[in-house]
Amino acid sequence: MLTAPHAAAPIGVFDSGVGGLSVLRALRAQLPQEDFVYLSDAAHAPYGERTDDYVNARAAGVANYLVAQHGVKALVVACNTATAAAIQLLRARWPTLPIVGIEPALKPAATASQTKRVGVMATRSTLQSAKFKTLLESLQGQAQFVVQACDGLAAAIENDDAQMTQALCETYVRGLGDFGRQPGAIDQLVLGCTHYPLVSGLLQSLVGPTVDLVEAGAPVSLQTQRVLAQAELLFCERAAGTTQLLSTGAVDALGGNARRWLGLEVLVEGVQTDGMS
Ligand code: DGL
């Protein structure tokens, strides 16, 4: 049973794998005094080419684990795919728990675009979701959005397969068309999957220096801070909080990426969330 959340409890963050570390990085910068428990559901990654039922079951199982085993005071769904499929279900199941999701940052990209042509890379499941379609419709007339489903890319990043990552990025960037500041070109590229910021150097080299890569880690962190403040759950009583890393799959992949992207030296704990939903 969920007891009333209290400020000293950790914030739970989850993704299908290592991608959510790009969000955790922003969260730790924005909320340095908070404790975080990050769960990578690597044993069931990737989510992006699965059915909604599968993603819903995984999201519910992982969220239940974080609530039951770690007593989290809030949940950040650091996965566009899981947010699109499951956030309503999670909010219905834990109505008093603050839950923050992530979605492709189309609006900031449309606002910043000078050519008014915006590229969007995301998983197939995110792009097919009702949530994404509603977002796209709400921005009709503000810019032209060119979308690209990036099958296999999150998995290649997850598996640290540099060759496959390079090949897929080249293919998908080419598929989006011309990039640059000239009329008719894409000048903003939305990274609509939390795995993609982990290869932003590669993507930037492919689209050129004049194109902005747009990710949502920072806005999600600000939103988390706002939601916690509203619920009077912000914790401000120490210099620095802790971060715990859990994985349902390979612990080495998560540990290596946490070291690389967050400068974090912590032991990753292997966990089992099956049967927790
Ligand atoms: N990182 C996730 C996202 O933001 C999911 C990638 C996947 O598992 O396919 O969509």
Side-chain angles (χ1 to χ4, degrees):
M1 205 188 74
L2 179 63
T3 52
H6 58 98
I11 298 169
V13 183
F14 80 89
D15 179 38
S16 63
V18 298
L21 292 177
S22 62
V23 178
L24 182 62
R25 182 169 49 186
L27 283 165
R28 280 167 38 99
Q30 186 67 33
L31 299 164
Q33 291 157 318
E34 299 286 352
D35 287 340
F36 294 96
V37 182
Y38 181 90
L39 197 151
S40 154
D41 193 20
H44 306 94
Y47 288 172
E49 290 138 53
R50 311 268 197 172
T51 63
D52 277 2
D53 283 352
Y54 184 90
V55 177
N56 284 343
R58 289 313 312 155
V62 166
N64 195 39
Y65 181 87
L66 289 168
V67 169
Q69 302 296 315
H70 291 270
V72 297
K73 66 177 176 182
L75 195 62
V76 178
V77 184
C79 175
N80 293 265
T81 308
T83 300
I87 197 141
Q88 279 174 330
L89 178 143
L90 297 179
R91 288 191 174 128
R93 177 138 171 209
W94 291 282
T96 59
L97 184 71
I99 301 179
V100 178
I102 188 165
E103 64 182 12
L106 264 49
K107 197 172 166 51
T111 306
S113 178
Q114 286 165 19
T115 61
K116 294 298 169 200
R117 197 165 164 84
V118 172
V120 185
M121 294 172 69
T123 67
R124 184 165 295 277
S125 171
T126 296
L127 295 178
Q128 283 175 347
S129 68
K131 208 167 188 306
F132 183 78
K133 285 182 185 142
T134 307
L135 176 65
L136 208 53
E137 271 160 29
S138 75
L139 297 169
Q140 278 295 319
Q142 298 197 24
Q144 270 186 313
F145 295 96
V146 189
V147 303
Q148 176 68 59
C150 299
D151 292 350
L153 182 53
I157 296 168
E158 186 69 32
N159 300 330
D160 214 5
D161 184 339
Q163 224 177 335
M164 181 63 85
T165 301
Q166 171 92 29
L168 290 175
C169 284
E170 281 173 8
T171 304
Y172 294 139
V173 163
R174 208 177 308 123
L176 282 162
D178 290 339
F179 285 88
R181 297 269 157 179
Q182 67 279 18
I186 292 169
D187 67 350
Q188 307 286 315
L189 179 59
V190 175
L191 308 186
C193 164
T194 55
H195 279 68
Y196 306 162
L198 300 184
V199 294
S200 57
L202 169 61
L203 289 167
Q204 191 77 65
S205 74
L206 293 170
V207 298
T210 60
V211 175
D212 295 323
L213 303 184
V214 189
E215 55 170 302
V220 164
S221 304
L222 280 171
Q223 177 64 5
T224 304
Q225 188 174 38
R226 262 193 299 268
V227 165
L228 286 174
Q230 251 165 28
E232 298 183 356
L233 285 172
L234 273 177
F235 194 63
C236 318
E237 289 168 24
R238 66 180 155 214
T242 61
T243 297
Q244 213 177 332
L245 300 176
L246 316 174
S247 177
T248 60
V251 292
D252 290 355
L254 184 59
N257 276 290
R259 206 170 305 122
R260 198 169 339 152
W261 300 110
L262 281 71
L264 246 186
E265 283 291 349
V266 294
L267 272 183
V268 180
E269 189 187 331
V271 295
Q272 267 276 9
T273 63
D274 296 346
M276 292 289 301
S277 60

